[in-house]
Amino acid sequence: YALRGYSAERSATLADIDRRWLSDFMYYLLNGYTTSRNTRLSKGSVDNYMRCLKAALNMAVEEGIIPANPIRGVDRSHLHKATPHREYLTVAEVKRLAAAPCRTRSIKEAFLFACFCGLRISDIRALRWRNVVCEGGRWHIDLYQRKTGQPLYLPLNRQALRWLPDRGDAADDSAVFGRLPKNMTVLSRWVREAGIGKHVTFHVSRHTFATMALTMGADIYTTSKLLGHTEVRTTQIYARIVNSKKEEAVALLDTAFDQ
């Protein structure tokens, strides 16, 4: 399957890869490539492949192998999906969960802790007491994120500290939340018994933190850093959610005075 500058029959060197080659490669992934199940790749899958290629080319630029990343001039807008739905809990729903009993204490503590600091479940599982630091009377998390490998300095507010378990005589290498179960059916039951009808996974705690932070007035750049995002545009998804809620609130005035 050969196109103008791209051929699936031969390998390419970095010198071969320019904007035209990348455009043709993207076209090939969309229209010429078939999986082992004889199906086409989705636009989302192609976009993921192109992101990986972009990261590799960025590294080549950093190493001085190529002067610039040619993918920056390639239009990939048609690959992007509509803004995905981000389920999150309102302040009232978080309060309801805090008041409701949960069959597994560690799940309740870990989930509500994440609602107030935004840590991913992978980082919650990996969190050790040595990562929980107090300096000058102020507490923070100091760790390397499991997903990105990037360092994260995360200040802890009083609400997050409220859900930290009692350390007792636990060693520095002890898991803060113990051994959390992989099966989160207890979480779903807890949410349901608290009278919340939303589909809540552990990751909803992260969405909840982001929307609460932005709603309370935190700027998007700061929120992005707190979440450990490598790009601010990832955080903009939450900003759009908050803006839509603001628009709904303002529209209520029309409803009240049009009657």
Side-chain angles (χ1 to χ4, degrees), residues 29-49:
L29 290 178
L30 283 169
N31 301 286
Y33 178 79
T34 54
T35 69
S36 58
R37 296 182 180 181
N38 200 34
T39 59
R40 298 287 192 194
L41 292 174
S42 68
K43 289 184 177 181
S45 295
V46 173
D47 193 36
N48 285 336
Y49 281 128

Side-chain angles (χ1 to χ4, degrees), residues 15-26:
D16 295 322
I17 300 177
D18 55 15
R19 188 180 305 176
R20 182 174 180 177
W21 189 98
L22 289 165
S23 295
D24 288 342
F25 176 62
M26 181 171 58

